[in-house]
């Protein structure tokens, strides 16, 4: 027994001694290390209209107070601090941080999700009371000119390794273990500082977004940001713990909410009409931000249409084409009782050609709560249009769009000209601005033609854009040149005295991009000579991505994310040499301010210059992120059926329009389409490519058999391809007269059919599911009669026969063989229109 007592006492002694020796100690509240958790996505923590925020860990203790009623987005789960006078203040947490010997514990971990809306301001402060800047007080985390600063008092600030963008979610964390402070951004360690933390004298309170006179350079003003969660731990978390904190919710916060309260330079909003504050339903509509034209989320009223009918709409556009995941809507803010309950939702890349993503979508049920409406699948667009169908009392709404932020590389970016970005080019004028500022505007000269799909068309004769000499645009130690280009002829030019130049400041130095005779050449003048990596582009068509990098030794050329050529000087540290001439986009530079000539003949979408060499991974990242806007494989897209007329406009921008032959009947369901019968079909002038590779995605509802889906063939000479039903259960695809046969079903039912044809092989998909791959007779050549839907050419190759009765909704043609993942993605993007 004595041995047992001695053993118990020994264990107790060792345990207590060990705890006293540790820099931290587990508090009695709670049993784990998390002591504070304000999570605005959980009703148990916060509900709309409340002035307090419950601590989900504290079992009723630790509730924070909200000051000046920050806006709450219930559907997205965050509070929005206005950067003026709104903030959150916690109770005293000192009791949560005590050690066994009653000395005050200094170690802790802080973690929060924030979405900055202003470039400067306080994010978190620590005080010894609930009065901002009263008693003992100092900021812990703040944003200073888009850089995050972290510190404990009285230590030197740790700054984030890179700047942060506004209107994007970030996970911030700081850990103090009693000796060292560590700062984190999105799970990545930003820096470490050794310091003995001084703590508040009589309490331990925290504020979010409150002004603070003891600051690190932000001006000490109220922080402007959204906050989804704030957590405090009584133990110092490890690097892996912090990464886990970030990874746990990062996918949830991979969005930005676009709902600007401005409408000038660039323009974001347009409406069919707005209620006139003076005359009501008559007279001119209210101007933007006046009275009944305040459409942004959490505005004081909203957009109120001048008339109540289904012809009304509201349009919101983003800066550039982007992946959109859904919308958020609210009813009228003041006086209540007005909201839109259902609407059609359409998207567009150019603001004129629209695709319906949701029909009769359910929106608000009251004028208080915000509602999130997610699309069936993400869409790539720049504009979104909401057309109300039903409403309560009056068409009134506030609107925002949920988008995925563009993850282009920004570290080292000096200038990015982007014709698809409204901040860079608003659609008119001669100034082509840098996306991020007006520091380096280029001047468009001799009228390059702007296309609303997001590019300039240069005529090859005298069009160009120019910027006067600037050392910032001529970095010497390293550089990256990046362009999206589409040459009218990739074989244009024949020699060094007859070429086409897309970017240049060469003349005894500098850099340039040009082509001749199917060869793309980059020029970087470094180490006493031009370094010229090249790539063969003779087989290219349409849009392609070109990047040149130089790091002091290696000059590399990438095409569509793939390294094509490397030139090695042999030694490191070589500098790029320049002369003091102008920089040209779309022309070769001379030694002065005028171009030498050699004008680009084709389209230019973006031009970017970095003052460092991007890595291969970064080049691929930029290519992958920006590629969707230059979908150069899509050659025809009959997506938006016109309600009248005889032309079905090709939305791909390639001009492969359809002609409605025989006056087929327009139908408005499922996003719109045309129903054909005897003598009716859709004809185009497009012919299949010489590569014998094509993919056709068609949304159809055939109502009969022995009838053609699509064709571009001459049967009598075994030329071209076609696809047709030969029975209610059989479908044939290939080249005449011997085709591949598939057993199918689908008569009198709408499906999305995918035909992936390459040479003499075809894979058939229905609603994203493969029905197999089969072969057929190799065609003897191509047909030149045009691609047609709902009919086939007669044996002589003129006229049409075998009309396929049914309804045609959307036909897309790609000049490549789509892979299964692409088939699945495209099906998911379209299926909601057809109830699939």
């Amino acid at each position: 027994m004595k041995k047992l007592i001695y053993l118990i006492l020994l264990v107790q002694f060792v345990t207590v001694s060990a705890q006293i020796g540790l820099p931290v100690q587990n508090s009695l509240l709670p049993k784990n290390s998390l002591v504070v958790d304000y999570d605005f996505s959980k009703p148990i923590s916060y509900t709309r209209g409340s002035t307090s925020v419950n601590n989900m860990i504290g079992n009723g203790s630790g509730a924070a107070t909200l000051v000046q009623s920050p806006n709450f987005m219930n559907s997205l789960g965050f509070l929005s601090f206005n950067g003026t006078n709104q903030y959150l203040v916690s109770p005293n947490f000192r009791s949560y941080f005590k050690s066994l010997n009653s000395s005050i514990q200094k170690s802790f971990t802080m973690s929060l999700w924030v979405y900055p809306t202003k470039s400067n301001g306080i994010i978190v402060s620590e005080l010894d009371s609930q009065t901002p800047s009263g008693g003992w007080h100092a900021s812990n985390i703040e944003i200073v000119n888009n850089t995050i600063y972290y510190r404990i008092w009285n230590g030197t600030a740790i700054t984030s390794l890179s700047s942060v963008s506004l209107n994007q979610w970030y996970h911030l964390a700081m850990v103090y273990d009693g000796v060292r402070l560590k700062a984190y951004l999105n799970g990545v360690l930003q820096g470490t500082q050794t310091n003995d933390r001084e703590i508040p004298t009589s309490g331990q309170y925290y504020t979010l977004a409150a002004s603070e006179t003891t600051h690190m350079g932000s001006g000490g003003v109220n922080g402007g940001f959204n906050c989804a969660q704030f957590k405090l731990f009584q133990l110092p978390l490890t690097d892996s713990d912090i990464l886990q904190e970030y990874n746990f919710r990062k996918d949830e916060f991979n969005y930005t909410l676009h709902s600007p309260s401005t409408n000038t330079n660039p323009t974001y909003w347009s409406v069919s009409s707005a209620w006139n504050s003076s005359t009501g339903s008559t007279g001119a509509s209210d101007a933007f931000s006046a009275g009944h034209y305040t459409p942004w989320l959490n505005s004081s009223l909203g957009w109120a249409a001048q008339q109540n009918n289904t012809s009304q709409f509201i349009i919101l556009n983003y800066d550039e084409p982007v992946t959109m995941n859904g919308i958020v809507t609210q009813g009228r803010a003041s006086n209540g009782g007005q909201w839109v309950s259902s609407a059609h939702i359409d998207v567009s890349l150019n603001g004129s050609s629209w695709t319906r993503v949701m029909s009769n979508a359910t929106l608000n049920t009251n004028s208080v709560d915000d509602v999130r409406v997610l699309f069936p699948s993400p869409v790539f667009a720049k504009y979104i249009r909401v057309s109300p169908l039903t409403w309560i009392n009056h068409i009134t709404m506030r609107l925002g769009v949920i988008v995925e932020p563009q993850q282009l590389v920004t570290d080292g970016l000096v200038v990015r000209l982007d014709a698809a970005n409204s901040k860079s080019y608003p659609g008119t004028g001669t100034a082509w601005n840098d996306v991020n500022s007006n520091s380096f505007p280029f001047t468009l000269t001799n009228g390059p033609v702007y296309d609303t799909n997001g590019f300039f068309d240069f005529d090859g004769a005298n069009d160009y854009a120019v910027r006067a000499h600037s050392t910032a645009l001529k970095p010497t130690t390293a550089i990256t040149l990046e362009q999206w280009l589409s040459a009218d002829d990739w074989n244009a030019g024949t020699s060094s005295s007859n070429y086409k130049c897309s970017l240049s400041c060469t003349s005894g130095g500098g850099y340039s991009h040009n082509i001749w005779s199917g060869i793309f050449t980059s020029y970087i003048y470094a180490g006493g000579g031009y370094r010229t990596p090249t790539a063969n582009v003779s087989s290219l068509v349409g849009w392609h991505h070109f990047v040149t990098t130089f790091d002091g030794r290696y000059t590399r050329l990438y095409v569509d994310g793939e390294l094509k050529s490397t030139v090695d000087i042999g030694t490191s540290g070589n500098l790029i040499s320049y002369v003091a001439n102008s920089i040209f986009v779309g022309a070769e530079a001379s030694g002065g301010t005028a171009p030498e000539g050699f004008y680009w003949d084709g389209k230019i979408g973006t031009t970017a210059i970095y003052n460092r060499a991007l890595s291969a991974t970064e080049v691929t990242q930029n290519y992958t992120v920006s590629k969707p806007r230059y979908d150069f494989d899509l050659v025809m897209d009959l997506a938006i059926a016109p309600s009248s007329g005889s032309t079905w406009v090709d939305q791909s921008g390639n001009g492969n329009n359809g002609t409605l032959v025989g006056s087929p009947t327009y139908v408005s369901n499922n996003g719109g389409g045309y129903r054909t019968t005897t003598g009716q079909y859709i004809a185009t002038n497009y012919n299949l490519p010489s590569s014998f590779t094509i993919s056709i995605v068609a949304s159809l509802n055939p109502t009969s058999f022995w009838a053609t889906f699509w064709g571009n063939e001459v049967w009598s000479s075994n030329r071209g391809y076609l696809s047709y039903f030969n029975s209610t259960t059989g479908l044939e695809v290939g080249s005449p007269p011997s085709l591949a046969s598939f057993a199918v079903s689908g008569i009198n039912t709408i499906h999305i059919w995918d035909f992936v044809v390459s040479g003499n092989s075809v894979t058939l998909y229905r609603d994203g599911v493969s029905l197999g791959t089969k072969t057929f007779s190799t065609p003897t050549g191509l047909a030149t009669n045009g691609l047609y839907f709902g009919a086939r050419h007669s044996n002589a190759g003129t006229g049409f026969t075998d009309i396929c009765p049914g309804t045609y909704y959307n036909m897309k043609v790609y000049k490549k063989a789509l892979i299964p993942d692409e088939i699945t993605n495209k099906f998911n993007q379209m299926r909601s229109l057809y109830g699939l």
Side-chain angles (χ1 to χ4, degrees), residues 50 79 147 159 179 311 324 338 347 363 369 454 547 655 698 726 770-771:
S50 177
L79 275 184
T147 298
T159 60
V179 178
S311 297
M324 297 183 174
Q338 298 177 5
V347 296
L363 303 185
D369 294 320
V547 174
N726 62 6
S770 173
L771 299 181

Side-chain angles (χ1 to χ4, degrees), residues 39-101:
D39 186 343
F40 301 104
S41 66
K42 303 292 193 301
I44 191 175
S45 185
Y46 185 73
T47 57
R48 184 186 299 279
S50 177
T51 58
S52 64
V53 184
N54 294 322
N55 178 13
M56 297 204 305
I57 302 302
N59 298 321
S61 65
T65 301
L66 294 177
V67 179
Q68 295 296 330
S69 303
N71 283 316
F72 176 56
M73 296 300 295
N74 179 67
S75 64
L76 296 173
F78 63 76
L79 275 184
S80 182
F81 298 100
N82 62 10
T84 302
N85 60 355
Q86 298 171 341
Y87 62 92
L88 173 152
V89 59
S90 79
N92 187 1
F93 292 142
R94 176 58 53 81
S95 62
Y96 292 14
F97 296 90
K98 289 232 179 178
S99 60
L100 287 178
N101 60 7

Side-chain angles (χ1 to χ4, degrees), residues 9 71 120 190 257 334-335 450 473 478 490 493 540 615 673 711 730 761 806:
L9 291 175
N71 283 316
N120 287 277
Q190 304 295 294
L257 183 58
S334 59
N335 299 323
Y450 175 67
L473 300 183
W490 288 103
L540 297 188
S615 67
S761 173

Side-chain angles (χ1 to χ4, degrees), residues 478-483 511-513 520-524 526 530-535 545-559 561-570 572 576 612-619:
I479 197 170
T480 295
L481 309 172
E482 178 184 25
Q483 289 189 291
Y511 50 75
S512 74
H513 279 172
F520 187 96
T521 305
S522 299
Y523 287 80
I524 300 289
Y530 280 110
R531 314 304 165 179
T532 58
T534 62
H545 183 250
F546 295 87
V547 174
T548 303
T549 67
F550 175 72
D551 62 6
R553 174 174 176 174
Y554 298 100
T555 307
R556 296 181 172 92
L557 172 61
Y558 300 81
V559 181
E562 181 181 347
L563 179 62
K564 293 295 186 181
S565 178
T566 302
V567 174
D568 181 4
I569 297 178
S572 300
I576 307 173
R612 66 183 185 87
L614 297 189
S615 67
T617 299
E618 290 173 318
V619 171

